[in-house]
Amino acid sequence: MGAPLTVLHQSKTRIRLGVAFPLNEACHDYLTELSKQFSSIRALHFYQTNKQFAVQFDRQQLDQVKAYLQAIDWEILMAKVRDNPIDHGPESVYDIVSNALYFKALRMALLPTSWRHGLILLRAVRFVKEAIKSLLTGKLDMHVLDASAIFVSLLSGDFRSADTIIFLLNLGDQLEAWSYETSLANLEQSLAKQEFPVWIQTEEGEQLKVNSTEISIGSHIVCQEGDDIPFDGTVIQGDGHVNESSITGEVFLVHKQAGDIVHSNTTLESGELIVEVTNNKPNARISDMIELIKTASTHQSTNATELTQKADNLVKYNFLGMALTYLLTRSISKALVFILVDYSCALKISTPISYISAINEGVERGIVIKGSRYLEVMNQIDTFVFDKTGTLTTSIPMINRIEPFYDYSIEDVLRIGACLEEHIYHPIAQAIVQEADNNHIIHEEFHGKITHVVAKGIISTYQDKTLLIGSKSFMEEHEIQFNANQREMITTYEDQYNLLYLAYGEQLIALFFIDMPLRQNTTDVLEQLKASGKSIVLLSGDHAARVAKLDQRIGFDATYSEVYPEDKHRIIQELQAEGRSVFMIGDGLNDSAALSQADIGAVFQEGSDLARQASDIIIKTDDLQSLHTLIDLSDGVQQKVQRNMTHTYTINSSLIVMGLLDLLSPSLLATLHNSATLLMITRSFFNVLD
């Protein structure tokens, strides 16, 4: 490719590359921006080594990846390296291990034997204290086992073994702390890099859509009903009720008006607020979710919890083995084997790391999993329930057809419609404006004052006549007349499309036929789910005719049309009462209750903010193929945990046998056991899908 690149690993949808020089944040930004020019490239991932990055792409689109790599300007990249020196950040595993070995060697070389022995006794005090705390609370756990190994070694005069055990235990503690901090820091960084559109109000009172990166302290953002509040701030205008349960845990809505403080990651459930930003860090409360993933028992995997409990329960068998061995052999060194080698340490540390690493891997692939237990539940799901509009279909409406009447042309009615709709933030309004832009139609202001009637339409005036755009009922309320041809067309198509009506004076002058196309890969993904034995169910508030049309194309196991939020919630309950494990994926406010009720609730990134708050998983890729990625991730982490458990039993049982046969000294036994544990912990960091 004429570039300093090396292919390190390649799969059908991912390629990992090595670079000849370290990449800094400026390089990351350049490569990420360049990748946006290639539609088949889904994500980039940069590694802590700074000399590797991975490209995630659509199947059978490797040519686009090659084109992307050829488009990289290496002179620009090198300039960014020179101008932006790398901040090496926190220490690595290599730093921790090498520093520990360095100071151990320094003690051995410089301290007299008596001083070293005194230092070993001093360092052993911490382990003795932890063991006493456990015993006082009635626990016979790893702390007791570790202290016993050190105490017996010291009692037998084997200071070398005691020093080795203390060294490896301290090193293990450092690596465990590093692993948690690194995993969660990577997860937080991945989540915090999100960019999203924000509506602002200018000094002139005009509302504009901008990127979240353009928001500064003092900006006035517009929050509408159902929106997530993305920044901390103070209400300067409006009135509404905010759900602050993500911060306070209380479900009661909090009334907000001018002068009140609002927080990011809370949801405006009713009303409209203009908020002056006081902290322009988006989603500043995101660290709360990271801490929740780390510590909340309600979000911990049942499997992980059971393994942790099982690991502590195994400790008593170590003491039993030690006692029996001593009674039968009268050998302290052989009895010591059961203290030096335990089954619990590796399981207790590697299992949560496996789950946190899998969550981080999900983020890399565009799937935000809010707790490790959902990875386990995913493995048990047998029924997938889908909302239709915005879930199986895209959330972006498209103009399928425009039918003008009387002497109006398509260009005329599109210009009028866009001029009215550009003032409103609504998907259908944006579709009209986008269609005008696609056709290079300029729509300058010509009408009078705009009035938006929620859920119905827009009313304005032109030359003393009324201008209306909106629903059929909106037209009927204003006594707009439909001629015979129009009534026939409406009857024919209103069950197949969402019809938007445009009227001037007392006449209907145009119909806009609006459709929601299926998401990419929808048919393939649903067929794969059915082929794997899963049931697929469709819930929709749409007309029965449109739901039936989709059912003919897909072949659902069950469909429900014209359902309300309470119906969706009830249907999920009924499926669970039949003994099914239900995965629900939706996008709107009306899906929130059903999402909360399901065993796992998921939404796409562009779903309503309340639905995102109610969900357990957020899919940022806008691709249903992510469901199979999620299933593979769940299967992979379960296999990894099971594999770690098998290896723990096999390796440690072998070490115990070799210790009992006097093939290994206590010092070497402790070293091999702790080295195997550290190796297993390190392997738990590896991605399961590469």
Side-chain angles (χ1 to χ4, degrees):
M1 297 177 188
L5 289 171
T6 305
V7 176
L8 302 177
H9 181 271
Q10 183 175 335
S11 66
K12 293 180 180 180
T13 59
R14 188 178 175 93
I15 183 170
R16 185 184 295 179
L17 301 158
V19 188
F21 51 86
L23 302 172
N24 55 31
E25 285 293 329
C27 296
H28 298 177
D29 292 341
Y30 167 75
L31 293 171
T32 301
E33 283 300 315
L34 182 62
S35 71
K36 294 177 181 178
Q37 300 176 20
F38 299 84
S39 59
S40 294
I41 294 180
R42 298 170 61 185
L44 298 186
H45 175 65
F46 299 95
Y47 293 87
Q48 195 172 16
T49 62
N50 294 320
K51 289 189 177 183
Q52 294 181 22
F53 72 100
V55 182
Q56 186 179 345
F57 55 93
D58 293 331
R59 289 177 180 271
Q60 300 179 340
Q61 295 296 326
L62 185 59
D63 288 343
Q64 275 225 8
V65 177
K66 292 179 179 178
Y68 162 65
L69 297 176
Q70 289 170 349
I72 296 173
D73 189 324
W74 293 96
E75 291 185 5
I76 291 178
L77 216 54
M78 289 297 294
K80 292 184 180 294
V81 172
R82 289 192 301 270
D83 298 340
N84 301 276
I86 290 179
D87 178 7
H88 291 284
E91 58 186 349
S92 64
V93 173
Y94 174 80
D95 295 329
I96 294 172
V97 175
S98 59
N99 287 339
L101 290 172
Y102 172 76
F103 286 111
K104 179 175 172 60
L106 209 60
R107 289 194 299 270
M108 295 291 290
L110 300 180
L111 295 180
T113 302
S114 59
W115 284 33
R116 289 203 308 273
H117 288 180
L119 185 59
I120 291 170
L121 290 171
L122 188 63
R123 292 164 66 208
V125 170
R126 177 174 74 89
F127 299 96
V128 174
K129 285 182 177 179
E130 290 174 348
I132 291 172
K133 286 181 182 178
S134 294
L135 291 172
L136 290 175
T137 56
K139 293 179 180 178
L140 196 63
D141 56 16
M142 282 196 302
H143 296 308
V144 179
L145 193 64
D146 294 338
S148 299
I150 296 169
F151 179 75
V152 172
S153 296
L154 293 174
L155 192 65
S156 61
D158 190 355
F159 280 84
R160 182 179 177 183
S161 292
D163 186 36
T164 301
I165 295 168
I166 293 171
F167 169 78
L168 291 171
L169 289 173
N170 282 331
L171 182 59
D173 288 343
Q174 290 180 58
L175 290 174
E176 181 184 0
W178 176 88
S179 65
Y180 272 104
E181 291 169 4
T182 302
S183 294
L184 295 170
N186 289 342
L187 179 56
E188 185 170 11
Q189 185 180 27
S190 299
L191 291 170
K193 284 186 175 180
Q194 297 180 48
E195 294 182 9
F196 49 89
V198 180
W199 282 84
I200 65 169
Q201 181 168 289
T202 65
E203 293 180 358
E204 294 76 24
E206 185 180 4
Q207 293 187 1
L208 302 173
K209 184 166 67 173
V210 301
N211 192 286
S212 59
T213 57
E214 299 177 46
I215 298 298
S216 59
I217 294 176
S219 294
H220 292 175
I221 62 172
V222 181
C223 301
Q224 297 181 335
E225 185 171 317
D227 282 353
D228 204 33
I229 299 175
F231 299 94
D232 294 340
T234 302
V235 178
I236 60 170
Q237 183 181 328
D239 189 279
H241 289 82
V242 176
N243 182 340
E244 295 185 339
S245 60
S246 60
I247 297 174
T248 65
E250 298 294 332
V251 297
F252 300 106
L253 299 184
V254 181
H255 179 241
K256 299 289 183 181
Q257 57 188 356
D260 290 338
I261 294 173
V262 292
H263 303 284
S264 63
N265 298 107
T266 58
T267 304
L268 180 62
E269 294 208 11
S270 66
E272 180 173 316
L273 301 176
I274 308 297
V275 176
E276 183 174 296
V277 174
T278 57
N279 180 356
N280 65 333
K281 179 183 178 183
N283 301 318
R285 302 285 182 250
I286 205 166
S287 57
D288 294 340
M289 194 191 83
I290 301 299
E291 191 63 25
L292 183 66
I293 291 174
K294 179 179 177 182
T295 62
S297 60
T298 56
H299 284 240
Q300 187 179 17
S301 161
T302 304
N303 192 23
T305 304
E306 289 176 352
L307 281 174
T308 300
Q309 294 171 347
K310 186 181 292 184
D312 275 337
N313 289 336
L314 288 172
V315 171
K316 60 188 176 187
Y317 295 107
N318 287 80
F319 283 105
L320 182 61
M322 179 187 70
L324 289 174
T325 301
Y326 182 75
L327 288 173
L328 294 173
T329 65
R330 297 297 175 179
S331 170
I332 293 179
S333 63
K334 288 185 179 182
L336 193 60
V337 167
F338 285 94
I339 299 181
L340 295 176
V341 179
D342 71 275
Y343 296 94
S344 56
C345 181
L347 294 179
K348 287 193 73 170
I349 299 175
S350 66
T351 300
I353 289 175
S354 296
Y355 279 99
I356 291 177
S357 296
I359 290 172
N360 190 49
E361 187 176 358
V363 171
E364 293 172 10
R365 295 171 181 269
I367 304 170
V368 178
I369 305 165
K370 296 184 181 179
S372 58
R373 72 184 179 93
Y374 303 120
L375 282 170
E376 183 178 348
V377 175
M378 190 70 205
N379 200 251
Q380 303 163 11
I381 294 296
D382 53 30
T383 303
F384 285 81
V385 177
F386 298 89
D387 171 54
K388 184 177 83 71
T389 306
T391 302
L392 293 181
T393 68
T394 66
S395 59
I396 303 173
M398 294 181 63
I399 307 301
N400 184 277
R401 172 183 168 189
I402 302 173
E403 190 68 37
F405 302 110
Y406 304 108
D407 294 328
Y408 293 92
S409 66
I410 289 178
E411 184 175 336
D412 291 335
V413 298
L414 194 52
R415 179 180 289 109
I416 296 169
C419 194
L420 294 170
E421 294 283 18
E422 68 181 348
H423 299 278
I424 304 300
Y425 177 59
H426 186 279
I428 291 179
Q430 296 302 303
I432 298 291
V433 174
Q434 186 62 52
E435 185 69 14
D437 291 344
N438 292 344
N439 288 276
H440 309 291
I441 295 174
I442 298 172
H443 42 92
E444 295 179 352
E445 296 288 336
F446 67 87
H447 52 73
K449 181 183 177 181
I450 288 283
T451 300
H452 178 219
V453 182
V454 177
K456 292 186 177 182
I458 297 171
I459 183 170
S460 185
T461 58
Y462 175 62
Q463 294 182 346
D464 297 327
K465 290 185 179 181
T466 302
L467 265 176
L468 295 171
I469 188 167
S471 65
K472 182 180 180 181
S473 62
F474 194 46
M475 300 294 122
E476 292 171 343
E477 285 178 15
H478 289 81
E479 299 182 349
I480 301 302
Q481 302 299 315
F482 302 156
N483 61 36
N485 178 47
Q486 291 169 342
R487 284 196 297 270
E488 182 182 355
M489 186 173 292
I490 292 168
T491 302
T492 302
Y493 292 105
E494 65 182 346
D495 287 337
Q496 299 178 39
Y497 296 94
N498 289 293
L499 296 181
L500 185 68
Y501 298 73
L502 177 65
Y504 179 53
E506 297 179 352
Q507 294 180 327
L508 180 68
I509 64 173
L511 283 173
F512 295 89
F513 294 71
I514 298 168
D515 197 12
M516 297 280 197
L518 286 178
R519 289 182 183 274
Q520 181 185 12
N521 300 328
T522 294
T523 303
D524 292 341
V525 169
L526 296 184
E527 287 178 353
Q528 290 169 16
L529 287 174
K530 291 177 66 178
S532 64
K534 310 295 185 183
S535 294
I536 58 173
V537 177
L538 177 64
L539 301 182
S540 177
D542 206 352
H543 293 299
R546 283 199 283 265
V547 171
K549 183 179 178 181
L550 181 59
D551 188 26
Q552 289 175 358
R553 182 173 176 180
I554 303 294
F556 291 93
D557 293 291
T559 61
Y560 301 84
S561 59
E562 302 181 36
V563 293
Y564 291 95
E566 57 271 24
D567 298 321
K568 293 185 177 184
H569 182 263
R570 173 181 53 78
I571 291 166
I572 297 295
Q573 287 181 316
E574 290 173 354
L575 291 171
Q576 290 172 325
E578 294 172 6
R580 301 195 194 188
S581 294
V582 180
F583 183 105
M584 164 77 181
I585 180 166
D587 75 308
L589 288 168
N590 61 332
D591 297 318
S592 301
L595 290 168
S596 296
Q597 177 63 37
D599 295 274
I600 298 180
V603 297
F604 284 109
Q605 175 66 23
E606 76 272 19
S608 81
D609 296 309
L610 186 59
R612 290 207 304 272
Q613 182 168 314
S615 70
D616 307 310
I617 293 171
I618 299 174
I619 300 174
K620 297 164 59 181
T621 60
D622 298 335
D623 186 350
L624 282 171
Q625 190 65 43
S626 292
L627 292 182
H628 290 294
T629 302
L630 191 56
I631 292 171
D632 292 342
L633 198 60
S634 174
D635 291 341
V637 73
Q638 303 290 334
Q639 292 169 12
K640 182 193 286 188
V641 170
Q642 187 62 43
R643 187 165 55 247
N644 283 347
M645 188 163 60
T646 301
H647 289 173
T648 295
Y649 291 140
T650 302
I651 293 171
N652 290 339
S653 296
S654 300
L655 290 175
I656 287 174
V657 171
M658 287 188 281
L660 292 174
L661 296 175
D662 289 329
L663 298 177
L664 298 173
S665 67
S667 179
L668 182 56
L669 197 62
T671 301
L672 290 175
H673 164 65
N674 285 282
S675 298
T677 299
L678 292 175
L679 178 62
M680 192 173 302
I681 293 170
T682 302
R683 286 177 51 187
S684 297
F685 279 100
F686 294 168
N687 287 348
V688 299
L689 299 183
D690 277 348

